[in-house]
Amino acid sequence: MKSVIIYSTKHGTTKKVAEMISQMAKEKPELINLKKVKDINLDDYDSIIIGGSIHAGNVQTRIKRFCHDHMLELSTKPLGLFLSCMEEDKAQEQFDNAYPESLRKAAVSTKLTGGEILLDKMNFLERYIVKKVGKMTETVSNIKEDKVKELVNEMGLT
């Protein structure tokens, strides 16, 4: 079974989660970063995992556009959806806003995989906002490995 993980990342956390999924999988899925690859033939894959991250309350536009443009194809194959986000109290709402309801319902697995605040990868304005609004003064990692494992298992990649 040929699988693919399609993701978009801003500071690298979603890429890290995608790589974790790949490492845990028995047969390694192909990794595709939507920043680098625009044209993807989904017919080449038996199962698909899509991942994005939340910044200022929204998922990357690339993820939203990809889901919208491939809605029919995505709903006909085993689908996994994950979202990297730090705010646990808003995570489900952000997940629901990130992915269309029809895809969430069609998905075999949907996971909130935690997130990271990587101050060293942020620009000045992002660091300022995180420090002032979020009261964060250092890099924080809260990737939920148990949720990543659940996604791998539910997608049948073990």
Side-chain angles (χ1 to χ4, degrees):
M1 185 162 98
K2 191 169 179 186
S3 301
V4 64
I5 303 169
I6 299 166
Y7 68 93
S8 188
T9 191
K10 183 160 184 178
H11 298 122
T13 301
T14 305
K15 178 182 180 185
K16 192 182 293 185
V17 173
E19 289 171 345
M20 288 173 69
I21 294 167
S22 180
Q23 290 169 0
M24 291 178 192
K26 186 176 181 179
E27 292 185 31
K28 305 300 177 215
E30 185 175 341
L31 297 172
I32 297 177
N33 183 342
L34 286 176
K35 275 187 182 177
K36 298 178 181 176
V37 178
K38 304 285 185 248
D39 191 28
I40 303 168
N41 184 356
L42 296 178
D43 291 336
D44 294 343
Y45 305 100
D46 299 309
S47 66
I48 301 163
I49 298 172
I50 299 174
S53 57
I54 294 295
H55 294 276
N58 294 301
V59 73
Q60 291 92 345
T61 302
R62 285 179 182 92
I63 292 292
K64 281 196 174 224
R65 189 175 319 118
F66 182 83
C67 288
H68 178 267
D69 292 349
H70 297 90
M71 187 88 62
L72 185 59
E73 296 165 282
L74 293 171
S75 61
T76 63
K77 298 183 182 219
L79 175 66
L81 303 171
F82 74 90
L83 189 68
S84 301
C85 57
M86 282 294 290
E87 294 185 78
E88 291 188 30
D89 59 326
K90 296 180 182 176
Q92 188 61 54
E93 178 184 348
Q94 291 172 336
F95 186 92
D96 293 347
N97 289 331
Y99 298 109
E101 182 179 9
S102 61
L103 289 185
R104 294 192 319 266
K105 287 182 176 181
V108 172
S109 182
T110 60
K111 297 296 173 203
L112 296 162
T113 57
E116 294 180 311
I117 300 290
L118 303 172
L119 293 176
D120 59 322
K121 301 230 175 157
M122 294 180 180
N123 65 36
F124 174 78
L125 183 58
E126 290 170 327
R127 274 193 310 274
Y128 178 79
I129 291 169
V130 166
K131 287 179 177 182
K132 288 293 183 191
V133 176
K135 308 285 188 222
M136 305 288 242
T137 57
E138 59 188 32
T139 291
V140 176
S141 181
N142 186 27
I143 295 175
K144 298 179 178 186
E145 191 172 331
D146 60 326
K147 296 298 180 186
V148 176
K149 284 180 185 176
E150 287 175 16
L151 181 123
V152 170
N153 290 333
E154 290 171 7
M155 289 299 297
L157 299 176
T158 53

